[in-house]
């Protein structure tokens, strides 16, 4: 079991979770993930590591509360423990001096990109950040990124910050630069990653995505996380989680991510009302 040092909602439905995990904190690299289970009967959830402190022996993850399992995580508090935190898993992000790297993040991907951006800057890259959200109040950790990024763009659906629209405005940003980026790294929901990859295909900008399929063991044993990359089957847990966005079979990936939606709905239909849980928002009694 791993003790929770901090759990808080940082923007609506988006939670920061810091766990005591010294073994993981001493080994984890940018782009890797952990598998977390809220309780003994809970689902094993793969979550990217957003930060860590080797000296304190802690790792921090950002997760979105979207269903029963993440809801259980969101109900925990500092001093509680999670049943499982296994890692670090997956391959680390390829870091090199690429030139100009555009990092595109939305929802939990904003947090997941943070260690990647730190490593890119350390390697001498010029980093351009693009945050995408429904509204300005859903963008977080800007204070952290201002210290690292050479330029920051925002795209919001309601136009409350930056360009109005969704990630389809990315060509407007790229075309406004003196030169296109040498590489794009994108992390967030499936739509964000797929659409970004679609828009960088024609200008032939290498684009890296971080896939987050349903996963069980995270070691290549179960095969649940299989994805099709350039026509070949890969396991996101051991072959990824990062792949070229231009080689992902996005239609299949999206279909597999929706495989258990009915079971998720049935859980809520059969669940008994619970007493007070976390106090930040919708679960408050």
């Amino acid at each position: 079991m791993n003790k929770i040092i901090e759990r808080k909602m940082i923007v609506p439905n988006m939670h920061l979770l810091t766990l005591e995990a010294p073994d993981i904190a001493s080994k984890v690299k940018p782009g890797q993930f952990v598998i977390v289970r809220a309780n003994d009967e809970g689902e094993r959830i793969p979550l990217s590591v957003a930060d860590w402190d080797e000296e304190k022996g802690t790792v921090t993850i950002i997760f979105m509360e979207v269903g029963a399992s993440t809801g259980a995580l969101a109900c925990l508090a500092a001093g509680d423990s999670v049943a499982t935190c296994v890692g670090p898993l997956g391959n680390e992000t390829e870091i090199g001096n690429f030139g100009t790297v555009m990092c595109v993040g939305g929802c939990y991907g904003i947090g997941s990109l943070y260690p990647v951006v730190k490593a890119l800057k350390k390697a001498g890259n010029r980093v351009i950040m693009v945050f995408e959200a429904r509204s300005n109040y859903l963008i977080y950790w800007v204070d952290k990124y201002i210290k690292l990024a050479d330029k920051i763009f925002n795209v919001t659906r309601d136009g409350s910050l930056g360009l109005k629209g969704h990630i389809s405005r990315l060509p407007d940003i790229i075309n406004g630069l003196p030169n296109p980026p040498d590489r794009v790294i994108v992390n967030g929901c499936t739509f964000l990653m797929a659409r970004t990859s679609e828009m960088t295909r024609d200008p032939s900008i290498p684009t890296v995505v971080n896939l987050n399929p349903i996963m069980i063991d995270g070691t290549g044993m179960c095969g649940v996380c299989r994805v099709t990359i350039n026509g070949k089957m890969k396991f996101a847990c051991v072959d990824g989680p990062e792949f070229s966005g231009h080689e992902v079979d996005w239609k299949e990936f999206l279909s597999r991510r929706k495989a258990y939606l009915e079971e998720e709905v049935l859980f809520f239909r059969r669940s008994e009302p619970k007493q007070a849980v976390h106090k930040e928002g919708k679960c408050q009694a």
Side-chain angles (χ1 to χ4, degrees), residues 116-132:
V116 176
V117 171
K118 283 201 294 187
L120 287 170
K121 283 302 294 181
K122 190 175 181 180
N125 293 281
R126 181 172 183 263
V127 176
I128 298 174
M129 286 302 307
V130 178
F131 296 124
E132 196 266 0

Side-chain angles (χ1 to χ4, degrees), residues 121-196:
K121 283 302 294 181
K122 190 175 181 180
N125 293 281
R126 181 172 183 263
V127 176
I128 298 174
M129 286 302 307
V130 178
F131 296 124
E132 196 266 0
R134 290 183 180 275
S135 190
N136 61 343
Y137 66 87
L138 295 173
I139 296 174
Y140 56 94
W141 278 15
V142 176
D143 56 330
K144 290 175 176 280
Y145 281 105
I146 283 177
K147 300 172 184 173
L148 298 170
D150 296 275
K151 196 166 184 59
I152 295 178
F153 293 93
N154 297 282
V155 181
T156 52
R157 306 283 177 86
D158 61 3
S160 55
L161 185 64
L163 295 175
K164 183 176 183 179
H166 49 62
I167 199 57
S168 296
R169 299 296 304 271
L170 190 63
D172 296 331
I173 296 174
I174 293 176
N175 293 334
L177 298 173
N179 297 293
D182 299 290
R183 171 174 293 232
V184 171
I185 300 176
V186 54
N187 197 317
C189 71
T190 303
F191 175 81
L192 180 77
M193 294 190 291
R195 192 77 181 97
T196 299

Side-chain angles (χ1 to χ4, degrees), residues 2-10 14-20 34 36-38 45 47-51 58-63 70 72-78 80-82 84-85 141:
N2 298 80
K3 183 180 177 181
I4 295 174
I5 305 301
E6 183 179 23
R7 203 282 311 153
K8 65 179 180 181
M9 185 185 288
I10 51 176
M14 201 71 65
H15 299 260
L16 177 148
L17 180 67
T18 298
L19 297 168
E20 194 175 70
V34 294
V36 178
R37 195 169 51 142
I45 314 169
L47 297 167
S48 297
V49 178
D51 204 0
T58 60
V59 297
T60 296
I61 54 183
I62 304 292
F63 69 94
T70 49
L73 271 183
C75 291
L76 298 174
D80 293 338
S81 297
V82 297
T84 301
C85 181
W141 278 15

Side-chain angles (χ1 to χ4, degrees), residues 147-256:
K147 300 172 184 173
L148 298 170
D150 296 275
K151 196 166 184 59
I152 295 178
F153 293 93
N154 297 282
V155 181
T156 52
R157 306 283 177 86
D158 61 3
S160 55
L161 185 64
L163 295 175
K164 183 176 183 179
H166 49 62
I167 199 57
S168 296
R169 299 296 304 271
L170 190 63
D172 296 331
I173 296 174
I174 293 176
N175 293 334
L177 298 173
N179 297 293
D182 299 290
R183 171 174 293 232
V184 171
I185 300 176
V186 54
N187 197 317
C189 71
T190 303
F191 175 81
L192 180 77
M193 294 190 291
R195 192 77 181 97
T196 299
S197 301
E198 182 182 333
M199 290 181 291
T200 57
R201 184 186 300 276
D202 275 349
S204 300
I205 303 172
T207 299
V208 178
V209 298
N210 190 302
L211 299 185
N212 52 353
I214 297 169
M215 205 174 283
I216 296 178
D217 66 277
T219 61
M221 296 290 287
C222 68
V224 173
C225 67
R226 62 186 181 274
V227 293
T228 300
I229 308 296
N230 201 22
K232 298 179 181 177
M233 186 182 74
K234 300 286 185 181
F235 292 158
C237 62
V238 292
D239 297 317
E242 296 189 341
F243 299 97
S244 166
H246 300 156
E247 296 181 347
V248 176
D249 183 334
W250 289 108
K251 185 176 180 180
E252 176 196 69
F253 182 73
L254 184 60
S255 174
R256 287 183 59 78

Side-chain angles (χ1 to χ4, degrees), residues 46-116:
L47 297 167
S48 297
V49 178
D51 204 0
W52 59 88
D53 188 322
E54 188 171 351
E55 188 174 327
K56 294 180 180 177
T58 60
V59 297
T60 296
I61 54 183
I62 304 292
F63 69 94
M64 188 175 190
E65 185 181 352
V66 291
S69 299
T70 49
L73 271 183
C75 291
L76 298 174
D80 293 338
S81 297
V82 297
T84 301
C85 181
V86 179
L89 299 168
N91 298 301
E92 63 185 281
T93 300
E94 179 189 0
I95 300 295
N97 192 332
F98 303 112
T100 299
V101 182
M102 177 175 281
C103 294
V104 181
C107 55
Y108 51 80
I110 295 175
S112 303
L113 280 172
Y114 181 60
V116 176

